[in-house]
């Protein structure tokens, strides 16, 4: 009987524990409706006392505790600059602090000096008209843990679906609600000086990496070996020759072979022309010799007929007789050739 009673008591206690934990979760906002919208942000032109941190976001609790212990009546604020999915958690950068004043108000000088005494710095954030906003109930310390798990996936989906340019993520903690905002304009104005310096350093490192990057041939600019050539050094002239060959030739023959072939063709053309000319010139010389021989035979016949020492008439009449004689000689030469 006593054993049965103890068993029932344990079951009841377990049920009470489950109910208590469930109630605490419900009260902390585990089932709260998350409404994401675009509109005016919950804060405008605020001045904060902050500390710049670098590391996993889950370690920001100590900084929140320190800030709230200095100004327990002030709203706490956190600005998270990096996406843990795109940057290593140990290198994520964020700001944690308290809101000293908002709008046209001026911060309390004594309170500001107290924060500065503990190593906090003062920074003013700009006023923006539009931001992606939502809220989560802040009823228990567990709300600080449940809020990011419930809110951030919804905000990320909202921004991605609408292709918005929104960053960084800002959390504002009041007594009963946690407001989330992601500015849609003047984003870099939310960067504290330490963050701006970090960005400049990152840009310089990227520029130096680009300077040490690869050139158009695929080789490292500080190395003599091309990663494309399989360890064989590339000569710039050979590279340009290969590129010009690939661009100008449709065949797979090297440019050297193509040039040799063209030279052979030119040489063959010249040699053919030379042989043709030589053959033609030889035949022309043979024809000339034959003409001279025939002419010589005709002259011999004329000499036999008129005599070798015949004098041709002179003067105008002699010119006519000479022309007639020349005509007769040509006719006889023609008859001799036939």
């Amino acid at each position: 009987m006593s054993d049965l009673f103890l068993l029932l008591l344990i079951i009841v206690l377990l049920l009470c524990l489950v109910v208590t934990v469930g109630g605490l979760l419900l009260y902390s906002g585990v089932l709260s409706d998350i409404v994401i919208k675009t509109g005016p942000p919950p804060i405008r032109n605020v001045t904060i006392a902050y500390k710049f941190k670098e590391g996993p976001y889950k370690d920001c609790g100590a900084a929140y505790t320190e800030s709230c212990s200095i100004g327990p009546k002030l709203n706490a604020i956190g600005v998270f600059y990096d996406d843990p999915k795109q940057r290593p958690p140990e290198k994520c950068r964020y700001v944690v602090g308290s809101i000293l004043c908002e709008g046209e108000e001026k911060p309390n000088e004594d309170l500001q000096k107290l924060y500065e005494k503990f190593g906090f710095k003062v920074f003013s954030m700009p006023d923006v008209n539009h931001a992606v906003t939502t809220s989560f109930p802040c009823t228990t310390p567990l709300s600080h843990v449940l809020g990011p798990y419930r809110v951030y996936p919804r905000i990320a989906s909202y921004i991605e679906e609408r292709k918005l340019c929104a960053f960084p993520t800002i959390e504002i903690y009041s007594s009963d609600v946690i407001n989330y905002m992601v500015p849609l304009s003047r984003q870099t104005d939310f960067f504290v000086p330490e963050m701006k310096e970090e960005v400049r350093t990152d840009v310089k490192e990227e520029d130096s990496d680009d300077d040490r990057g690869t050139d158009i041939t695929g080789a490292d600019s500080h190395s003599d070996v091309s990663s494309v050539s399989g360890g064989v050094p590339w000569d710039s002239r050979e590279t340009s020759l290969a590129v010009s060959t690939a661009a100008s030739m449709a065949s797979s023959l090297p440019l050297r072979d193509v040039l040799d072939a063209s030279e052979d063709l030119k040489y063959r053309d010249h040699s053919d022309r030379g042989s043709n000319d030589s053959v033609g010139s030889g035949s022309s010389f043979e024809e000339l010799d034959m003409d001279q021989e025939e002419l010589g035979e005709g002259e011999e016949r004329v000499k036999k007929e008129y005599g070798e020492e015949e004098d041709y008439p002179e003067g105008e009449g002699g010119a006519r007789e000479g022309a007639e004689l020349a005509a007769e000689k040509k006719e006889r030469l023609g008859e001799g050739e036939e």
Side-chain angles (χ1 to χ4, degrees):
M1 188 69 179
S2 59
D3 294 338
L4 181 59
F5 178 76
L6 289 175
L7 182 59
L8 291 174
L9 182 59
I10 292 172
I11 292 173
V12 170
L13 291 176
L14 289 174
L15 289 174
C16 292
L17 181 61
V18 170
V19 171
T20 302
V21 172
L24 179 62
L25 291 174
L26 291 173
Y27 185 69
S28 299
V30 69
L31 296 180
S32 297
D33 188 21
I34 306 298
V35 179
I36 311 294
K37 60 182 179 180
T38 301
I43 58 173
R44 290 178 177 273
N45 194 19
V46 296
T47 301
I48 65 172
Y50 73 93
K51 277 190 175 182
F52 181 80
K53 299 288 184 178
E54 186 172 355
Y57 289 155
K58 63 181 181 180
D59 298 338
C60 65
Y64 272 116
T65 302
E66 182 183 9
S67 178
C68 292
S69 63
I70 298 173
K73 295 183 179 180
L74 300 179
N75 292 337
I77 187 171
V79 184
F80 302 91
Y81 296 108
D82 298 304
D83 185 355
K85 295 180 180 180
Q86 299 180 359
R87 189 177 179 89
E90 62 274 8
K91 293 185 178 181
C92 289
R93 297 156 294 191
Y94 60 95
V95 160
V96 172
S98 298
I99 297 176
L100 297 178
C101 64
E102 183 176 0
E104 300 297 331
E105 298 178 3
K106 293 183 179 181
N108 186 295
E109 293 183 0
D110 295 335
L111 192 58
Q112 180 176 339
K113 290 180 181 179
L114 183 60
Y115 272 101
E116 291 175 348
K117 180 181 178 181
F118 286 95
F120 286 78
K121 297 181 180 180
V122 178
F123 179 73
S124 295
M125 292 185 174
D127 181 13
V128 295
N129 295 325
H130 294 87
V132 178
T133 62
T134 190
S135 61
F136 190 81
C138 182
T139 53
T140 68
L142 191 59
S143 300
H144 300 162
V145 179
L146 294 175
Y149 286 102
R150 292 291 316 282
V151 170
Y152 284 129
R154 301 286 185 89
I155 290 179
S157 299
Y158 184 90
I159 293 174
E160 184 177 358
E161 289 174 0
R162 290 161 178 77
K163 300 182 185 219
L164 301 176
C165 179
F167 67 93
T169 303
I170 302 174
E171 299 178 359
I172 303 99
Y173 292 87
S174 60
S175 58
D176 57 349
V177 67
I178 305 173
N179 288 299
Y180 296 85
M181 62 171 284
V182 188
L184 293 173
S185 62
R186 303 184 64 182
Q187 289 94 339
T188 56
D189 291 340
F190 289 87
F191 288 11
V192 296
E194 294 88 344
M195 183 60 188
K196 291 181 179 178
E197 187 63 30
E198 291 267 339
V199 172
R200 292 192 191 99
T201 304
D202 292 344
V203 171
K204 289 180 181 178
E205 290 178 355
E206 291 178 0
D207 291 341
S208 62
D209 291 340
D210 292 340
D211 293 338
R212 293 192 298 267
T214 57
D215 57 11
I216 59 173
T217 61
D220 187 78
S221 59
H222 296 278
S223 174
D224 294 332
V225 179
S226 171
S227 60
V228 178
S229 63
V232 179
W234 279 92
D235 182 73
S236 59
R237 291 168 298 187
E238 294 175 358
T239 305
S240 61
L241 177 62
V243 172
S244 62
T245 305
S248 61
M249 301 305 299
S251 65
S252 60
L253 291 175
L255 184 59
R256 179 177 60 252
D257 298 338
V258 175
L259 292 176
D260 292 341
S262 63
E263 291 295 332
D264 291 341
L265 290 175
K266 290 181 180 179
Y267 177 76
R268 289 174 184 175
D269 291 340
H270 287 298
S271 62
D272 293 341
R273 290 177 184 174
S275 61
N276 293 333
D277 293 340
S278 62
V279 172
S281 62
S283 61
S284 62
F285 280 121
E286 292 176 357
E287 293 175 357
L288 182 59
D289 292 338
M290 291 175 64
D291 293 339
Q292 288 179 351
E293 290 177 357
E294 293 174 355
L295 182 59
E297 292 176 356
E299 289 178 352
E300 289 177 357
R301 291 176 183 175
V302 172
K303 287 180 180 180
K304 288 179 182 180
E305 183 175 355
Y306 289 96
E308 293 180 357
E309 296 180 356
E310 181 179 359
D311 294 332
Y312 296 100
E314 296 179 358
E316 295 179 358
R320 293 192 192 95
E321 293 178 359
E324 293 175 357
L325 182 61
E328 291 178 0
K329 286 183 179 181
K330 288 182 180 180
E331 291 177 359
R332 291 178 180 179
L333 285 174
E335 292 175 358
E337 290 178 359
E338 292 177 359

